[in-house]
Amino acid sequence: ILNVEQSPQSLHVQEGDSTNFTCSFPSSNFYALHWYRWETAKSPEALFVMTLNGDEKKKGRISATLNTKEGYSYLYIKGSQPEDSATYLCAPNSGGSNYKLTFGKGTLLTVNP
Amino acid sequence: EAGVVQSPRYKIIEKKQPVAFWCNPISGHNTLYWYRQNLGQGPELLIRYENEEAVDDSQLPKDRFSAERLKGVDSTLKIQPAELGDSAVYLCASSSFGSGVSEQYFGPGTRLTVT
């Protein structure tokens, strides 16, 4: 079972602030890293899938980077808005399989207007 | 395109009672997953189906949990009898298995409370 750590556990920011979270995972047997956003009472929404060391992905004000050699990924949100309030989950695939996601506990982001 | 559908969205039952959750995956997705998310934890895989075959059920507590996907489309997860510790959100996801990385698409989940 992979040890996936996400930090911080929770975060409160003001509207307009930029913020970032960290996902740490074992660097051995890495296959891919998934980021999800999960708003209360909704379905977890896929944000990014990254596979290569040095990958950078961007979707609007949200971006992510990947370092497979040291086993971490950063998620950045620029100019946070109240609608960004959600739990952000990361989940690496490992062992060469492309289905077995091991989720971290998530980072709960609250953006205050 | 319709997403993954789950029902019910919420369920409250007393311990020792049975409960069942239903999932209809995205059309054409041959792989279906059931996850359980306990409070303060990330989702954990319970079982994975490829078509109608359960290919990974190593995390499914088989003494009280069962699942089926008879026609390789929708699926049912059952708990009998439920225990207090089964209170959690049960998520269903689906993907289209193939080469490369498969994205998993999630339903909204069923929040189970066992009293």
Side-chain angles (χ1 to χ4, degrees), chain B residues 48-106:
Chain B
R48 176 175 78 103
Y49 283 92
E50 285 185 16
N51 299 306
E52 64 274 9
E53 182 182 0
V55 295
D56 183 355
D57 62 356
S58 56
Q59 303 277 73
L60 190 72
K62 297 181 182 63
D63 56 337
R64 297 182 300 106
F65 285 65
S66 64
E68 60 183 16
R69 193 185 185 200
L70 293 176
K71 297 182 179 178
V73 181
D74 56 349
S75 175
T76 302
L77 178 69
K78 298 178 182 177
I79 308 175
Q80 183 170 10
E83 296 179 353
L84 294 176
D86 296 331
S87 295
V89 176
Y90 291 83
L91 291 163
C92 178
S94 69
S95 67
S96 180
F97 187 80
S99 60
V101 178
S102 296
E103 190 62 83
Q104 296 183 23
Y105 297 87
F106 284 83

Side-chain angles (χ1 to χ4, degrees), chain A residues 29-101:
Chain A
N29 296 322
F30 176 84
Y31 188 80
L33 190 285
H34 300 246
W35 279 101
Y36 285 85
R37 174 171 62 195
W38 193 1
E39 295 179 63
T40 302
K42 295 187 178 179
S43 304
E45 173 196 358
L47 290 175
F48 305 114
V49 180
M50 294 182 287
T51 57
L52 299 176
N53 185 47
D55 259 356
E56 292 187 27
K57 295 281 180 82
K58 188 174 181 180
K59 189 176 184 178
R61 294 178 291 98
I62 305 176
S63 60
T65 62
L66 178 66
N67 183 320
T68 60
K69 293 185 178 179
E70 296 182 38
Y72 65 84
S73 175
Y74 293 138
L75 187 80
Y76 301 91
I77 303 179
K78 183 178 178 181
S80 302
Q81 300 297 309
E83 57 265 30
D84 295 329
S85 297
T87 296
Y88 291 82
L89 294 163
C90 74
N93 285 1
S94 68
S97 70
N98 67 352
Y99 74 87
K100 194 154 187 121
L101 302 184

Side-chain angles (χ1 to χ4, degrees), chain A residues 36 42-44, chain B residues 1-7 9 22-29 31-35 69 73-75 90-96 103-110:
Chain A
Y36 285 85
K42 295 187 178 179
S43 304
Chain B
E1 179 183 271
V4 176
V5 179
Q6 290 189 246
S7 68
R9 292 292 308 275
W22 177 79
C23 172
N24 193 35
I26 291 173
S27 178
H29 282 189
T31 306
L32 184 146
Y33 315 77
W34 282 103
Y35 288 85
R69 193 185 185 200
V73 181
D74 56 349
S75 175
Y90 291 83
L91 291 163
C92 178
S94 69
S95 67
S96 180
E103 190 62 83
Q104 296 183 23
Y105 297 87
F106 284 83
T110 297

Side-chain angles (χ1 to χ4, degrees), chain B residues 9-52:
Chain B
R9 292 292 308 275
Y10 304 91
K11 189 74 176 179
I12 302 174
I13 61 171
E14 294 183 347
K15 63 181 180 181
K16 301 184 182 179
Q17 295 301 306
V19 65
F21 315 124
W22 177 79
C23 172
N24 193 35
I26 291 173
S27 178
H29 282 189
N30 56 342
T31 306
L32 184 146
Y33 315 77
W34 282 103
Y35 288 85
R36 176 172 61 187
Q37 192 226 8
N38 292 310
L39 187 65
Q41 304 295 317
E44 295 179 335
L45 180 69
L46 291 174
I47 189 168
R48 176 175 78 103
Y49 283 92
E50 285 185 16
N51 299 306
E52 64 274 9

